[in-house]
Amino acid sequence: MNKASRSLALLASGATVALGLAVAPVTSASASSIRYGGVLKYVSSWTTIPDNFNPLNPAGTGGTAGGTGSLLYEPLIYENVYTGKATDLLATGYKWSNGNKTLTLTTRTGVKWSDGQPFSAADVAFTFNYVKKYPALDVNGFWKSALASVTATGPNTVVFQFRSPQTSLFPQIVGQEIVPQHVWSKVSNPVTFANPHPVGTGPFLLESYSNTQVSYVKNPHYWMPGRPYLAGVTMQAVKSNATAQLLVMNGAASFTYDAITDPGRSFVAHNKAFNHYWWPVTNLNLLYLNNGAAPFNDAFFRKALAMTINVNAVAVRAYFGAIPAASGALRASVTPGQVHDWVPTSVSSLGWQYNPSGAVKLLESHGYKLSGGSLQAPDGKPLPTFNILVGAGWSDFISMAQTIGQELLPLGIHTTVEQEPYSTYASSANYGRYSMMISWGNNANVTPYYMYYYLFHPNNSAPIGKFASTNWERYTSPAVTSALNAYARTTNLAIQKSAMATIEKEVLQNVPVIPLTGRPNFLDYSTRSFVGWPGPSNPYNSGDPGDGFGGGGEMTYLNVHLK
Amino acid sequence: MRYLARRLGLLLLTGWAALTVNFVLPRLMPGDPIQVMFARFQGRLNPAAANALKIAFGLKTNQSIFAQYFTYLGHTLTGRLGFSLTYFPEKVTTLIGQALPWTLGLVGFATVVAFIVGTAMGALAAWHRGSALDSIMVPTGVMLSAMPVFWIGLLVLYVFAFKLGWFPVGGGATGGQGLASVSGFGAIISHAALPAITLTAVSLGGYIILMRNTTITVLNDDFVKFARAKGLPDRVVASRYAARNAILPNFTSFALALGFVVAGAIFIEYVFDYPGIAYLLYQAVTSLDYPLMQGIFLVIVLGVLIANFLADLLYVLLDPRIRVEARS
Amino acid sequence: MPPLLEVRDLYIGYGWDERNVTTIVRGVNLTVAPGEVVGLAGESGCGKTTLAFAAAGLLEPPGRALAGQVLFEGTNLLELPPEQLRALHLARISMVFQASMNVLNPVTRIREQFKDAMKAHGVGSADEASARAKEMFARVKLPERFLDAYPHQLSGGMRQRAVIALALCLEPKLVFLDEPTTALDVVVQRSIIQMLNDLRHDLGFGVVFITHDLSLLVEIADRIAIMYAGAIVEEAPAQLLYQGPEHPYTAALMSAFPPVGGKRKRLEGLAGQPPDLRRLPPGCAFAPRCTRFIQGTCDTVAPPEVRTTEGRRVSCHLYAETVPSRPLPEAGPEALGSRGNGARVAGQPIGLSPGEGATN
């Protein structure tokens, strides 16, 4: 890792979103040691790269053209989901005022659209109002929540007015990719508009597109001094992950995004000098327990299950050690990058520990009885066999479910693994038709708030048999709800931290879900030709080459350079 | 004419049935496209997007099932197959339009070549029954048609692409080259060579054996003996008498094979990373892209139906005995 | 006058493999004079069709001539190059097959089948071919419009007339009629036989008429040869044969097929099965079924061919010099009286009968 490539990440550190202390990006890079040029090749398994360069595309599978939109369009601030750190892009600062009902953003000066027109705050206001005009574009639900108006009050100032304080919307607002008013005001149907001649502020320009390959060249007028290092970026679509992995291993491409099975052995070991993977955990895999039905409606019962499941064994069986178990502070349903800032040590030791015999005692203290290898409820009836719901053919979840099933046996609980296809699986979760289910946290973001909000907030809940968007386990509690609401209204970090600590305590005591393992992004890369990749020592992004959900693909393309 | 009208009626009826099944099946699945989208993104899609997506996909959940059905029929008949979920905002028709030429080109070509070559070889084997040619061709044909297509595909891929490096490993053409350019065309041919050879090889056997056996039967028919007794040259007896009659059952299986071009292509396109419609179907199935699946199924079903209809029509031309039936 | 066809000591085997050949025609001698009608009779499987194909130069694998000659107008057809042989077919030697659905190519029009035949024999112009086809259709009393029909559109009788027209269109010198009426009903059969007789008078071709219906042969043949197990066991002028069959097999055959219109008579039938050609009994092949079997002779010694009277020959120990000739009791004089009379169906017009109408 050399000095120049580190500078961006260093400068990007040090402030959390809610504090509003976003820092300036790279100012000067001593480029003497950096080799400019080279075309970075990204391979991914897409049948067809969608012919779509519309960054507002509502179904954006990672945005545009196979997730390469971040080379063309930029958000206001890049927020790293892994570290929680921010990097200013089209915004240079912001301020909350008026009881947190007004957000004032300062936009960057000297930025030009790739057609030569100057970028201004008006483009930002236009983008948000455009999304208001076309509700199909409002994938973050800005205008359905508290946002009231967005106005450019000066060439570099844009003001967001809220009906009520909703600071929790901040990551989504600053993550919105901005489009030029002078182009988009003429677009008649932006929902299906493919934007074949994209005009953006990003570090690259579209060079050529075919449905198997899309190429970009360096934007010579990019605003960030000295960047990008690369002369171009090419994304090639191959038909399978195995092919993509092969191309990276033989040097034909430099990186791919894929959950390689046992990456240490099947990827790195082929060439330890070049082949690396970085899988930063940005979400969790959870064992959802259906809190709406007996016996999972009893907190002590859920806790006993948690005490019986060895998550380390689960993680190893499912991911061969490449992905960590959700142990320690992660039991509170937070990601590793959030632990330091958001989980007080007084809290992280609460709750349960792995203790199968303790679990039996706990259940017995509530009238359960272990008899002949089966657990009997206080009324004397043995418990039925429970299904553990997983998606059909998802081998990692299936391994987890099998491991859990074995670990629950000493507790006298019998399970079977039930595989359901995607749509049935999703529907079972939404309508609460399951006992136990392995799934992911929804919309995890820079702070624990987001995963909590979707897991526990009544806004996302419904009784069993009714559609609950994300509160699949059906756990809500007044304490958690008020803590979530308190967080969402304030910009005071201390209040936010204490709100999160409240929830952490609640979930560690009540065990609404059982975190099993981390859920990472899957960056697999080769240092044969290019260096400057993100990694544990320099986590300038979360390893996602795409442009959606704080993936920050743009950061990779700004930092990677020739060896 | 009544025959034609009957066939056409049958075509329309089965077409309608297929359309209806295509409408009903996805609706029997639990969940709607939005839920599917969320499941597909595995927690990476903001749940707030549900509303936006409903509007974008034009889902009118408050419409009655009959209204939906007639809207669907109307849209399908006017070629509006909706948007792909995976590749939104690409239209299903656009995606199929991109993929279909690859499949038709590759599999269509291979099927036609297999039919022509296989039929000719089968006729030849029958004509020279008992010769060395016959005793090589028939076991080879049996062996080829008995081997699983993906297995041959992998074998061919390994030998000619990996080991010998004569052909590219996969794909339709090297990225970035259009169909029109000359170098692009060369790339297309070199990419199509291995899958085409594989496909031809596996379907060849069936035609050889069928043609050989029917030709042998036909050669014992009186009209072939009488043709010889008329002093016709061998060439005429072989072509206008023996082959012309023996080809009829072969033609039927050829017409059926044409209809199943897409279905038959799945393994080939998968093994060779070929950007055709079968691969698109595979992708649609794995990513739960129901509109795309529906569109592709529609193309397959219509393909089968139309191929059968055309086969019926052509059969009328080939076999006067049917023609009489057709007139009555 | 030299014979039109002379088959000399012909042996024909059957088999793809040299080492595994079954001999199915054994030492046949047969002569056909110009314009003569020679009948060839015998049970199914006796080799008469194979003999006819070989004699017509149409033998093809797995059939093969093992020995002997087939002289057509003095030329050995068995040694003729294929191209010259092909030129003889239809033009000089023709063949009419047993009436079946399939004698004509089912997928082309009859006119086409005339044209390609004539084209193969140098009648290049389509008009000339058409004119000839038309003329032949008139001769076989078929309406001209059926020239443009497909075979399946014709009834069995009509189809057979078309086949005959086709077979005779180049006025061949020798015509093999291989059970030409067998599959047809009796009425149609008669009219076709009548027509063939007329055509023969007009065109003057020699005929080898193959059938298992001996009574039919007696009516139309000049001479009759009886085949059994691949060999000719008796040959005689038709009248003589009919009056007094010499070979016990001939006698048995005659009792199996009473003349049409003759007195009702109990049919003796033929006991037993023809022998397996791969395992012929020693001595006489007919011995196991023979009612006049001579122990120790017929089952050990092959019967010699004996010329009993002028123009007659029989292969039977009964007529060998060492064996006294005995009168044959089987054919009674009453059978003689019916000969030739009841053969034709009175008042039956030749041409379209209800049974011969087009199927559509």
Side-chain angles (χ1 to χ4, degrees), chain B residues 105-239:
Chain B
L106 169 70
V107 193
F109 173 79
T111 308
V112 171
V113 167
F115 171 68
I116 293 172
V117 174
T119 302
M121 284 170 80
L124 214 62
W127 195 256
H128 300 286
R129 176 170 30 154
S131 69
L133 184 80
D134 183 27
S135 50
I136 291 168
M137 223 139 53
V138 172
T140 311
V142 171
M143 203 176 71
L144 283 177
S145 60
M147 279 201 280
V149 58
F150 64 88
W151 193 80
I152 298 193
L154 287 173
L155 197 75
V156 165
L157 200 61
Y158 180 76
V159 174
F160 295 102
F162 280 116
K163 282 280 154 187
L164 299 174
W166 293 351
F167 295 98
V169 173
T174 312
Q177 286 168 325
L179 277 165
S181 72
V182 176
S183 64
F185 190 71
I188 286 165
I189 297 298
S190 74
H191 279 79
L194 286 186
I197 289 168
T198 308
L199 209 53
T200 307
V202 290
S203 36
L204 198 60
Y207 291 119
I208 294 180
I209 291 157
L210 187 61
M211 187 63 185
R212 180 186 178 271
N213 292 348
T214 43
T215 305
I216 284 175
T217 312
V218 167
L219 283 179
N220 285 321
D221 266 337
D222 284 341
F223 64 83
V224 171
K225 289 185 185 156
F226 187 54
R228 288 185 205 274
K230 288 200 307 189
L232 296 181
D234 275 2
R235 173 176 46 80
V236 176
V237 179
S239 60

Side-chain angles (χ1 to χ4, degrees), chain A residues 46-52 57-62 135-141 144 172 191-194 209-213 239-240 243 246 257 283 394 422-424 426-427 430-431 433 440-444 454 467 469-470 519 521 544 548-549, chain B residues 29-32 35-53 55-57 83-90 95 98 102 162 171 173-177 269-270 272-276 279-280 282-283 285-288 290:
Chain A
W46 286 76
T47 312
T48 300
I49 301 173
D51 185 4
N52 176 36
N57 172 22
T61 45
L137 304 180
D138 192 5
V139 292
N140 289 300
K144 289 204 91 181
Q172 279 90 23
V191 180
T192 55
F193 177 56
Y209 163 82
S210 78
N211 58 18
T212 53
Q213 185 166 307
K239 297 289 173 279
S240 70
T243 310
L246 215 67
Y257 183 87
N283 194 354
W394 298 349
Y422 262 164
S423 54
T424 319
S427 175
N430 290 135
Y431 291 94
R433 290 188 295 257
W440 44 78
N442 279 290
N443 209 31
Y454 288 107
F467 184 91
S469 62
T470 52
R519 191 173 173 85
N521 288 321
D544 185 344
F549 289 90
Chain B
M29 305 275 205
D32 59 31
Q35 277 175 279
V36 169
M37 280 286 273
F38 278 101
R40 225 156 47 69
F41 278 91
Q42 311 198 341
R44 292 158 62 86
L45 192 58
N46 188 337
N51 186 55
L53 289 170
I55 302 168
F57 291 153
F83 295 100
S84 156
L85 302 186
T86 324
Y87 303 110
F88 190 89
E90 295 243 46
L95 290 166
Q98 280 170 0
W102 291 100
F162 280 116
T174 312
Q177 286 168 325
E269 293 189 0
Y270 185 72
F272 290 98
D273 278 1
Y274 204 76
Y279 199 85
L280 193 63
Y282 170 79
Q283 286 291 319
V285 169
T286 51
S287 59
L288 287 177
Y290 285 117

Side-chain angles (χ1 to χ4, degrees), chain B residues 34-93:
Chain B
I34 307 298
Q35 277 175 279
V36 169
M37 280 286 273
F38 278 101
R40 225 156 47 69
F41 278 91
Q42 311 198 341
R44 292 158 62 86
L45 192 58
N46 188 337
N51 186 55
L53 289 170
K54 258 181 201 156
I55 302 168
F57 291 153
L59 293 174
K60 295 179 190 124
T61 37
N62 52 356
Q63 229 180 9
S64 82
I65 190 87
F66 291 105
Q68 287 179 42
Y69 178 63
F70 286 111
T71 311
Y72 159 82
L73 280 187
H75 282 183
T76 308
L77 293 178
T78 50
R80 280 180 285 171
L81 300 180
F83 295 100
S84 156
L85 302 186
T86 324
Y87 303 110
F88 190 89
E90 295 243 46
K91 292 195 176 85
V92 168
T93 43

